[in-house]
Amino acid sequence: MSPVWSLCAGLLLLLLWVRHRGLEAVLVHHRWVFVCLFLLPLSILFDVYYQLRAWAVWRLHSAPRQHAQRVRHIQAQVREWKNEGSKRYMCTGRPGWLTVSLRVGKYKKIHKNIMINLMDVLEVDSERRVVRVEPLVTMGQLTAHLNPMGWTIPVVPELDDLTVGGLIMGTGIESSSHIYGLFQHTCVAYELVLADGSLVRCSPTENSDLFYAVPWSCGTLGFLVAAEIKMIPAKKYVKIHYEPVRGLQKICEKFTEESKKKENSFVEGLVYSLEEAVIMTGVLTDEAEQSKINRIGNYYKPWFFKHVEKYLKADRTGIEYIPSRHYYHRHTRSIFWELQDIIPFGNNPVFRYLFGWMVPPKISLLKLTQGEAIRKLYEQHHVVQDMLVPMKSLEKSIQTFHVDLNVYPLWLCPFILPNNPGMVHPKGDEAELYVDIGAYGEPKRKQFEARASMRQMEKFVRSVHGFQMLYADCYMTREEFWDMFDGSLYHKLREQMNCKDAFPEVYDKICKAARH
């Protein structure tokens, strides 16, 4: 039988099976069929298009010339909204399914959509060590652009598709954050179109109140049109040291100790059970032992979290040299460990070698095609949360995650939180070491109920003066939300800049209790 006839016969059998089981049942219980046959090829086409576009823009140097024109178009849309009587709130016109957040934002259907087509790297200033970018530039795009020039940014949040705008208006973190802070702390200036249509630049010395209020505001103070981000010299490799640790107290002590060491360029922990973890530390280097180089980003390589787990199972330490860009995007191929729930056999060597080059599917396409049944299933039986808590509360926090969720692995990422104005800062007057605890997967806790369990988690995080990342589902009341976050500067600026009629309050955009 020829390959064509074999393919046709296979497709016919698949269609008969889908018809027998029902399309919705297949999409819910055998989602890998749809993902492998349709979403993976579509994701490749997406990537090819954006890579070709970025290459063409850079070769033709059209981005800087067109930027001012595009910003004027945004200003014109805002002024048009004013002339129409400012009857509705404004929001960006980017479809909700294109964002990396798993939250479904229904507000875009009722608000005035302002089209913001800004996705280019504008300028690399080697003298100032600053890169100026538009808000829809992704982390994958930015590192691919800077690394060949010998530069990188201090904090490269993990997933390729995360955008600069999302990381500023929300937040972003990486294993270098114990030195540099959150993504917002590596930015030196923002440019925004405000509710009156004016274009404003803000920095720590120019319109400083606005500069400190923009992070975590989720686009409710103005439209971000450009950002300036610090750059640091890039090196070829990250020398990684893997160390298995057993016993919760020892895990927390070791992780805290390594997070305080500034000589560590990177610190990360993967907690595989209440009593087992692997603590990883890394340093940037241009030299490597050839026999220990691991190009973990190659499509046929094991998923990173599975690779790390081998050191735990073997109960041994290890040292590897990972190419820098591979390291920055080490969790991308498996979307941390979320892909194992979508393609259960995705880390199988046969699948990796044959189809690994197509992985991962675009999160945006997963959202677009998930349907109401899958959305409800995920909402009730799946957790994607990042809680930021003081390092001194780490042990108690892991215990709370275990009792309320029982999701493993947990991702541990330390960061220094400076005492700057804005929605997120330490309780005291000085910078404080915090840790991001990421829980992604299906809770194993018996009688898990999403709303009740997450409200219990949120209550705990507030009690230790921690913060919840706003990309995820939030169940707090308005009073609880503003107890967690400092809204003093935010509310003052919304009043001063006439934002109340132009943009919804951040709580109304992101919290389940407020969304319709």
Side-chain angles (χ1 to χ4, degrees):
M1 186 181 289
S2 71
V4 174
W5 283 109
S6 298
L7 180 61
C8 290
L11 287 174
L12 179 61
L13 289 173
L14 175 64
L15 289 172
L16 290 172
W17 177 67
V18 169
R19 184 178 179 182
H20 172 70
R21 294 298 305 272
L23 181 61
E24 184 172 290
V26 170
L27 290 178
V28 172
H29 301 292
H30 305 279
R31 199 179 183 195
W32 62 267
V33 175
F34 183 71
V35 169
C36 291
L37 291 180
F38 298 102
L39 294 195
L40 289 180
L42 280 176
S43 297
I44 292 294
L45 293 177
F46 257 64
D47 282 336
V48 169
Y49 167 74
Y50 281 110
Q51 287 172 11
L52 288 175
R53 184 191 178 281
W55 177 84
V57 165
W58 183 245
R59 294 291 296 178
L60 298 172
H61 301 289
S62 61
R65 291 200 300 270
Q66 294 185 11
H67 175 74
Q69 178 183 340
R70 290 171 181 159
V71 171
R72 284 194 295 270
H73 177 60
I74 294 166
Q75 291 177 285
Q77 293 177 78
V78 173
R79 291 179 183 130
E80 180 185 356
W81 165 82
K82 286 187 67 179
N83 294 334
E84 291 172 349
S86 310
K87 296 176 183 177
R88 296 181 291 165
Y89 288 139
M90 292 183 290
C91 67
T92 64
R94 191 185 190 207
W97 61 269
L98 272 175
T99 64
V100 173
S101 168
L102 295 178
R103 184 174 58 243
V104 178
K106 297 181 180 179
Y107 61 88
K108 288 183 181 285
K109 295 179 180 179
I110 58 174
H111 293 174
K112 170 74 172 178
N113 281 214
I114 304 298
M115 301 311 296
I116 299 179
N117 184 28
L118 301 172
M119 55 182 70
D120 296 318
V121 178
L122 298 174
E123 181 185 5
V124 177
D125 189 334
S126 299
E127 289 188 10
R128 291 176 58 219
R129 293 193 171 194
V130 165
V131 57
R132 183 168 173 255
V133 300
E134 293 179 329
L136 295 182
V137 167
T138 67
M139 289 298 100
Q141 178 186 352
L142 188 54
T143 55
H145 188 95
L146 292 179
N147 286 172
M149 300 179 183
W151 295 103
T152 187
I153 55 175
V155 174
V156 184
E158 179 59 40
L159 300 179
D160 280 15
D161 291 341
L162 292 171
T163 64
V164 168
L167 295 167
I168 291 170
M169 291 296 185
T171 194
I173 192 170
E174 189 40 81
S175 52
S176 56
S177 289
H178 65 296
I179 300 173
Y180 299 105
L182 298 172
F183 187 84
Q184 70 202 57
H185 301 127
T186 68
C187 297
V188 296
Y190 310 127
E191 297 169 36
L192 296 101
V193 172
L194 303 183
D196 62 358
S198 61
L199 177 63
V200 172
R201 184 179 187 273
C202 58
S203 71
T205 58
E206 178 185 6
N207 298 309
S208 59
D209 278 357
L210 181 58
F211 177 79
Y212 289 116
V214 163
W216 295 76
S217 67
C218 297
T220 59
L221 294 174
F223 295 110
L224 184 71
V225 295
E228 295 177 23
I229 309 166
K230 295 175 185 175
M231 298 189 305
I232 59 174
K235 294 193 176 181
K236 293 180 181 179
Y237 301 100
V238 177
K239 181 182 179 181
I240 294 289
H241 178 259
Y242 303 90
E243 183 168 349
V245 185
R246 287 180 166 80
L248 180 57
Q249 184 177 349
K250 290 184 178 179
I251 291 169
C252 297
E253 288 174 353
K254 180 64 176 175
F255 186 76
T256 303
E257 175 190 340
E258 297 298 340
S259 300
K260 290 179 178 179
K261 295 178 181 178
K262 300 301 182 186
E263 60 266 31
N264 287 329
S265 304
F266 306 97
V267 180
E268 175 183 24
L270 295 184
V271 182
Y272 289 91
S273 74
L274 185 61
E275 301 291 334
E276 296 178 311
V278 177
I279 307 300
M280 290 161 280
T281 57
V283 293
L284 287 163
T285 178
D286 283 322
E287 305 297 329
E289 299 177 49
Q290 291 300 310
S291 62
K292 294 183 179 179
I293 293 176
N294 184 1
R295 292 180 171 81
I296 196 69
N298 288 346
Y299 70 88
Y300 51 83
K301 288 284 190 173
W303 290 346
F304 185 70
F305 78 99
K306 288 293 188 183
H307 172 68
V308 173
E309 191 176 19
K310 292 177 182 178
Y311 291 95
L312 182 67
K313 290 180 176 179
D315 196 24
R316 63 180 179 86
T317 61
I319 290 176
E320 288 185 327
Y321 295 83
I322 299 178
S324 294
R325 191 157 186 266
H326 288 225
Y327 177 81
Y328 287 136
H329 304 287
R330 63 200 177 281
H331 292 297
T332 292
R333 287 189 301 121
S334 56
I335 318 177
F336 281 85
W337 29 94
E338 287 278 74
L339 199 56
Q340 66 181 351
D341 292 334
I342 300 170
I343 307 177
F345 47 82
N347 194 47
N348 182 282
V350 176
F351 181 87
R352 291 201 315 265
Y353 275 89
L354 293 178
F355 304 108
W357 58 276
M358 303 173 76
V359 167
K362 289 287 184 186
I363 295 175
S364 54
L365 293 178
L366 289 171
K367 285 177 63 178
L368 180 65
T369 59
Q370 67 182 355
E372 192 64 18
I374 296 177
R375 189 188 67 78
K376 289 181 178 179
L377 186 72
Y378 263 62
E379 190 173 288
Q380 292 302 320
H381 304 286
H382 199 86
V383 167
V384 180
Q385 291 283 347
D386 283 85
M387 299 294 187
L388 315 181
V389 298
M391 186 67 79
K392 61 191 176 187
S393 303
L394 177 58
E395 184 173 350
K396 188 177 180 182
S397 298
I398 293 177
Q399 290 171 336
T400 302
F401 270 71
H402 180 78
V403 171
D404 290 342
L405 301 178
N406 194 10
V407 171
Y408 293 99
L410 293 174
W411 188 53
L412 302 184
C413 184
F415 68 99
I416 192 72
L417 184 61
N419 187 33
N420 292 337
M423 286 176 58
V424 172
H425 55 75
K427 192 172 185 179
D429 296 329
E430 297 181 356
E432 186 175 348
L433 192 61
Y434 270 62
V435 57
D436 173 12
I437 304 178
Y440 324 117
E442 182 180 349
K444 299 300 189 291
R445 177 196 172 189
K446 294 180 180 178
Q447 289 95 36
F448 171 80
E449 199 279 314
R451 185 179 185 278
S453 297
M454 288 316 307
R455 280 191 55 74
Q456 188 67 24
M457 287 290 303
E458 290 165 349
K459 181 180 179 181
F460 167 77
V461 172
R462 290 196 305 275
S463 74
V464 297
H465 197 70
F467 308 96
Q468 180 180 21
M469 281 198 184
L470 301 183
Y471 76 86
D473 284 334
C474 172
Y475 294 85
M476 290 182 280
T477 66
R478 194 178 303 271
E479 292 71 26
E480 290 167 343
F481 182 84
W482 290 118
D483 179 47
M484 176 179 285
F485 297 98
D486 183 353
S488 54
L489 180 61
Y490 172 79
H491 290 302
K492 184 182 87 169
L493 283 178
R494 274 179 63 82
E495 189 77 39
Q496 286 180 359
M497 301 191 308
N498 298 317
C499 293
K500 290 189 174 181
D501 294 328
F503 307 104
E505 186 182 299
V506 60
Y507 174 81
D508 294 313
K509 283 190 74 172
I510 62 98
C511 285
K512 276 189 166 292
R515 299 204 310 273
H516 301 291

